[in-house]
């Protein structure tokens, strides 16, 4: 297995709607906005299982690696 995975890869395998349905079914829907939303925590736990030989920090870096590139490439005009 490759050591590169991103949030995009996980969301293609487990769509956000499925994660939200599971969180709702388990009674774990957020009542407040959090720094780390429940959906992101689920993806993080999935990534932890895939990379059990890595540290927590390294798994998070792998998970958000694609986001850093995409976010830095966006401009204000690209958002509106």
């Amino acid at each position: 297995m490759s050591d590169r995975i991103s949030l995009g890869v996980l969301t293609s395998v487990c769509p956000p709607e499925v994660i939200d349905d599971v969180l709702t079914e388990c009674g774990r829907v957020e009542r407040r906005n959090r720094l780390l939303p429940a959906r992101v925590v689920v993806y993080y736990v999935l990534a932890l299982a895939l990379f059990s030989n890595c540290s927590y920090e390294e798994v998070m870096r792998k998970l958000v690696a694609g986001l850093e590139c995409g976010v830095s490439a966006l401009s204000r005009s690209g958002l509106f």
Side-chain angles (χ1 to χ4, degrees):
M1 176 183 347
S2 171
D3 66 340
R4 298 187 58 77
I5 193 165
S6 68
L7 192 55
V9 172
L10 283 176
T11 58
S12 69
V13 175
C14 298
E17 299 80 21
V18 172
I19 301 297
D20 291 343
D21 290 345
V22 170
L23 289 169
T24 300
E25 187 175 318
C26 293
R28 297 296 177 197
V29 177
E30 299 160 327
R31 292 179 220 157
R32 298 181 285 168
N33 288 332
R34 305 247 181 212
L35 184 60
L36 198 57
R39 182 191 301 161
V40 176
V41 172
V42 171
Y43 287 124
Y44 181 54
V45 171
L46 290 172
L48 286 170
L50 291 172
F51 297 102
S52 58
N53 59 332
C54 296
S55 69
Y56 294 155
E57 294 85 6
E58 182 63 22
V59 172
M60 184 58 83
R61 274 193 293 275
K62 290 175 186 289
L63 190 62
V64 299
L67 295 177
E68 293 174 24
C69 177
V71 170
S72 65
L74 288 176
S75 65
R76 181 173 171 82
S77 62
L79 296 174
F80 298 104

